Amino acid sequence: MPSTTAPQEPMPSTTPSSPSSPDVQPVAPPKPRKGGEMTVEDIIANARKAPVLAGSRGAWILSAITGVLMWASFTPLDWGFLGWWALVPMCLLIRLPKPTRWMYTATLTCGFVSSLAMLQWMRLGDVMMYPAWVALSFYLGLYFPIFVGLSRTAVHKLQMPMTLAVPVVWVGLEFFRARLMTGFAWYFLGHTQYQFVELIQISDITGAYGVSFVVAMVSACAAGLVSVRVFDKLKMLPPGVGVEAVSEPTRKRQALAVAATLLVFGSVLTYGIVRRSEAKFVDGPRVALVQGNFPVSVKHDPNEGERIYRMHEWLTGRAVSVGEHPDLIVWPETMYRVPLLEADANASDTKLREASPYIPVEAWRKRQVHGALQELCERCGAGLIIGIDTFAVGESKMQRFNSAAYVLPERGVVSRYDKLHRVPFGEYFPLQDVFPALRSFTPYGSGLDAGESAKVFQLGSYRIAPVICYEDTVPQLVRGIVKGTMESSSDGKPVDMLVNLTNDGWFKGSSELDQHLITAQFRAVECRTPMVRAVNTGISAFIDGDGVVREPEIFFDGDKREVTTSRDPETGRLKKSLNAMMVAPIPLDARQSWYVQTGDWFSGTCAVAVVGIFGFGLWYGRRRKNTEDALTTMV
């Protein structure tokens, strides 16, 4: 083979400290043959030399710090101010010129452990939820190395500023997390700021994703101000490579990053202040929320059904006597323990026996629950929305729904909403229709069926949209329900309020109750629609269109049998795990929501960018491999 003269300047592919090529592996300079010449074989052998990577200790330390900060930012500690710094250690891994040993393993492991701690309340639901708890935690942990890898591609290959790449990638991944495998829109980074009311108002344009974007951008900016000497102190540089080989951002670039971050933060904060000043809340219907305190072990005990009913009936009576005759009374999810039986009027006795062999035919015909609900409603003199199981016989089989029954005096059950979004592993098991044996792994045994569509309950001139259980945590679902009510309305206006019926008795007063409420608060801001929540064991609440949990006019402690406040005077936290009743007028909100009108354009754009970054990374890696293969062919 002909030889080539060694270049006077070191080639970029063999320069360990080249700032223009941060991802090039540091290798020893090629050894030219006698006479100062180097063959193509020498060049290829040098290029293919195994990379020398830094040790993994620094990556483990930084990943662990991010994991701890993420956990502490959410309930039960609820130190939301830490959310601004949670991603800083991981952003240092993104900024690092070369990955260290085990870096992605460290981010995955620490992300998994952090998620395991945040989701520890899942284990309380049912012994069958332990595998789901571990599986979901591992799934959420996967987003950490994916985030670091995609952000590194954007920063080092596409030369994107870290203050742009980090929030775009983070929000794009939250978009996917809210949808993949039915979605899990809990513990978004922006949720840490729920108490920063002015900041979260941007949610009516971008959804909660906009708040996550701002928080992630601040973390990225802060990481860019950290001296590169931290890499040397944590021994995160390859052997023989000093800090002088790492490109330090110029003061001009740092100043631009800080200015851009302050501009975004200031704009979002200003928008929130202006938007809140526009709120002109008007009192709507008076609503009473009935909150029982029954753990799931009691709820599913057939001998406890009478006691559960008597407690809710008594609290309902207190709502009427001390609540100045509310217009609407709401019971939590499935707290009326006798199922509602619905059958086609033309269904024959034979068909009913075939569809439900364990339910007597006469039970379908008598409709006793319909009569009992109407009688209760007439005694209250108010509308009722009651959480109840529904058994319905259609054309071919019996279906079981998790429902909200709407009852009016003198009219009885006038409408029913069947839950649309079922909880995986709780209310159904994925692929259970393909593998029926999987149904036995859900706490409901046979699982639940999904409803067909959203419903609007008409209470005088007010329009109400019910959602059940975790549906209030799914942004695209709630947004779709509100937008659908606008399209079905003669005046093009959305519903006046959302009503959430929930049973959090599975989780025994844990941090799940607090986090569930926090997530629901963002739905109220996104849709500019007030929400009321009647929750077994708590936390029941009135949420206005700014996402603020309002103190009810009347809070009746059913255990102490006295009117008191909804917050613990010592901790300031909302009370839970008690029998209670609360009454307040609904703060109607006339403001319109851009998010309802346009949907997830913001997070969707970030998701498209993530796909583009991923595609570029694949193309770049393939191109590099093809280049090396071409050099090999030359030999």
Side-chain angles (χ1 to χ4, degrees):
M1 290 290 291
S3 60
T4 180
T5 302
Q8 296 299 317
E9 296 295 331
M11 297 179 66
S13 62
T14 62
T15 304
S17 59
S18 172
S20 62
S21 304
D23 279 348
V24 175
Q25 301 292 354
V27 295
K31 295 180 179 180
R33 293 191 175 190
K34 188 176 181 179
E37 296 180 348
M38 184 174 63
T39 66
V40 173
E41 291 95 325
D42 293 328
I43 298 174
I44 295 173
N46 181 71
R48 289 183 175 276
K49 183 176 292 187
V52 179
L53 300 178
S56 64
R57 186 180 67 175
W60 283 101
I61 291 174
L62 293 177
S63 298
I65 292 174
T66 284
V68 171
L69 290 177
M70 289 289 285
W71 169 76
S73 299
F74 296 102
T75 55
L77 291 186
D78 202 18
W79 294 347
F81 65 92
L82 294 179
W84 296 99
W85 316 108
L87 294 186
V88 171
M90 203 162 285
C91 286
L92 292 176
L93 296 180
I94 295 167
R95 185 180 164 194
L96 189 68
K98 293 299 305 178
T100 70
R101 298 180 188 275
W102 300 99
M103 187 176 80
Y104 292 106
T105 301
T107 55
L108 170 61
T109 303
C110 293
F112 166 65
V113 173
S114 178
S115 300
L116 203 66
M118 284 189 285
L119 297 173
Q120 59 81 27
W121 45 264
M122 286 184 64
R123 64 187 172 81
L124 303 174
D126 188 271
V127 67
M128 300 303 299
M129 294 302 292
Y130 273 81
W133 169 41
V134 175
L136 180 58
S137 298
F138 181 78
Y139 167 69
L140 296 180
L142 285 173
Y143 281 89
F144 286 79
I146 293 172
F147 163 68
V148 172
L150 290 174
S151 297
R152 286 184 59 82
T153 297
V155 170
H156 296 297
K157 302 295 190 304
L158 290 170
Q159 301 300 309
M160 287 178 63
M162 193 162 68
T163 48
L164 177 62
V166 164
V168 165
V169 172
W170 186 270
V171 169
L173 292 178
E174 283 190 343
F175 175 89
F176 288 118
R177 184 152 69 86
R179 286 163 173 78
L180 296 179
M181 296 187 292
T182 76
F184 186 75
W186 290 59
Y187 296 100
F188 278 6
L189 187 60
H191 293 166
T192 62
Q193 304 306 309
Y194 75 98
Q195 297 181 81
F196 197 160
V197 181
E198 284 74 21
L199 186 75
I200 69 174
Q201 300 309 306
I202 194 67
S203 298
D204 74 348
I205 296 179
T206 62
Y209 305 100
V211 187
S212 294
F213 187 96
V214 177
V215 178
M217 189 177 190
V218 170
S219 281
C221 180
L225 300 177
V226 176
S227 171
V228 295
R229 297 188 180 280
V230 72
F231 298 137
D232 187 47
K233 291 181 179 180
L234 292 174
K235 301 186 184 304
M236 300 179 70
L237 299 176
V241 177
V243 292
E244 65 278 356
V246 182
S247 177
E248 182 99 55
T250 65
R251 294 195 175 245
K252 181 179 179 181
R253 292 190 65 179
Q254 289 180 331
L256 287 174
V258 171
T261 303
L262 289 176
L263 177 62
V264 171
F265 178 85
S267 298
V268 170
L269 184 59
T270 301
Y271 175 82
I273 294 172
V274 172
R275 203 68 168 119
R276 290 202 74 193
S277 69
E278 296 173 344
K280 303 245 184 321
F281 298 118
V282 177
D283 285 352
R286 291 181 62 80
V287 176
L289 306 178
V290 174
Q291 173 182 300
N293 183 32
F294 297 96
V296 70
S297 58
V298 172
K299 173 195 163 184
H300 287 296
D301 185 343
N303 298 320
E304 294 287 345
E306 179 70 16
R307 185 166 71 92
I308 292 173
Y309 174 79
R310 292 303 175 195
M311 174 56 71
H312 285 81
E313 181 187 43
W314 178 68
L315 291 172
T316 299
R318 298 302 297 169
V320 174
S321 62
V322 304
E324 299 180 8
H325 298 290
D327 303 297
L328 179 69
I329 302 172
V330 186
W331 285 24
E333 174 190 11
T334 64
M335 282 298 104
Y336 195 94
R337 298 305 305 140
V338 183
L340 186 70
L341 303 183
E342 297 278 11
D344 189 328
N346 298 321
S348 65
D349 290 356
T350 301
K351 182 178 180 179
L352 292 175
R353 290 192 190 96
E354 291 176 351
S356 56
Y358 301 106
I359 300 177
V361 172
E362 55 270 20
W364 295 98
R365 305 297 188 198
K366 290 182 179 179
R367 297 167 64 88
Q368 289 181 329
V369 172
H370 290 76
L373 290 176
Q374 181 174 351
E375 190 270 336
L376 174 63
C377 185
E378 290 176 349
R379 280 193 286 131
C380 297
L384 291 177
I385 298 179
I386 289 186
I388 191 170
D389 289 317
T390 298
F391 295 168
V393 175
E395 296 181 357
S396 58
K397 62 178 182 179
M398 185 182 78
Q399 293 179 294
R400 181 179 178 182
F401 299 106
N402 185 347
S403 304
Y406 183 43
V407 194
L408 290 177
E410 301 180 359
R411 295 181 60 190
V413 179
V414 296
S415 187
R416 188 186 86 238
Y417 168 70
D418 300 326
K419 187 180 180 186
L420 299 172
H421 186 89
R422 297 169 296 170
V423 178
F425 307 105
E427 294 174 328
Y428 85 105
F429 206 95
L431 302 179
Q432 67 181 25
D433 293 332
V434 180
F435 305 103
L438 293 176
R439 291 176 179 265
S440 61
F441 288 93
T442 71
Y444 285 93
S446 62
L448 296 176
D449 294 286
E452 295 182 355
S453 63
K455 292 292 179 66
V456 174
F457 297 161
Q458 194 76 39
L459 180 67
S461 61
Y462 304 110
R463 300 168 70 239
I464 302 167
V467 290
I468 297 176
C469 192
Y470 287 162
E471 289 186 324
D472 63 349
T473 71
V474 185
Q476 63 272 18
L477 174 70
V478 177
R479 177 253 168 190
I481 289 174
V482 174
K483 183 172 175 59
T485 64
M486 294 174 62
E487 295 171 348
S488 63
S489 172
S490 58
D491 56 8
K493 293 182 179 180
V495 288
D496 295 292
M497 70 178 189
L498 295 162
V499 174
N500 176 237
L501 291 71
T502 291
N503 174 24
D504 279 343
W506 297 89
F507 305 111
K508 302 177 182 178
S510 67
S511 62
E512 184 275 346
L513 281 67
D514 305 271
Q515 197 62 42
H516 190 177
L517 172 62
I518 290 168
T519 310
Q521 289 174 242
F522 280 84
R523 303 294 85 80
V525 183
E526 289 168 349
C527 300
R528 290 298 177 196
T529 305
M531 177 188 292
V532 299
R533 304 180 72 240
V535 185
N536 176 43
T537 73
I539 302 170
S540 301
F542 298 87
I543 310 171
D544 68 24
D546 282 339
V548 175
V549 176
R550 294 196 165 197
E551 178 68 24
E553 286 187 358
I554 298 170
F555 186 92
F556 179 76
D557 186 326
D559 297 331
K560 295 182 179 179
R561 303 197 172 205
E562 64 181 14
V563 175
T564 178
T565 61
S566 65
R567 293 184 181 272
D568 187 313
E570 295 182 1
T571 65
R573 296 200 171 188
L574 291 165
K575 296 176 182 177
K576 53 187 176 181
S577 300
L578 76 163
N579 294 294
M581 181 280 300
M582 58 204 76
V583 181
I586 301 304
L588 301 180
D589 194 339
R591 291 172 294 176
Q592 299 298 305
S593 164
W594 181 259
Y595 178 73
V596 170
Q597 295 284 357
T598 61
D600 288 312
W601 64 273
F602 178 77
S603 56
T605 301
C606 293
V608 171
V610 164
V611 173
I613 293 169
F614 176 73
F616 178 84
L618 291 179
W619 172 83
Y620 185 90
R622 184 168 299 176
R623 180 188 178 193
R624 185 171 181 175
K625 183 177 184 302
N626 290 341
T627 300
E628 292 180 354
D629 290 343
L631 288 173
T632 303
T633 303
M634 289 174 61
V635 177

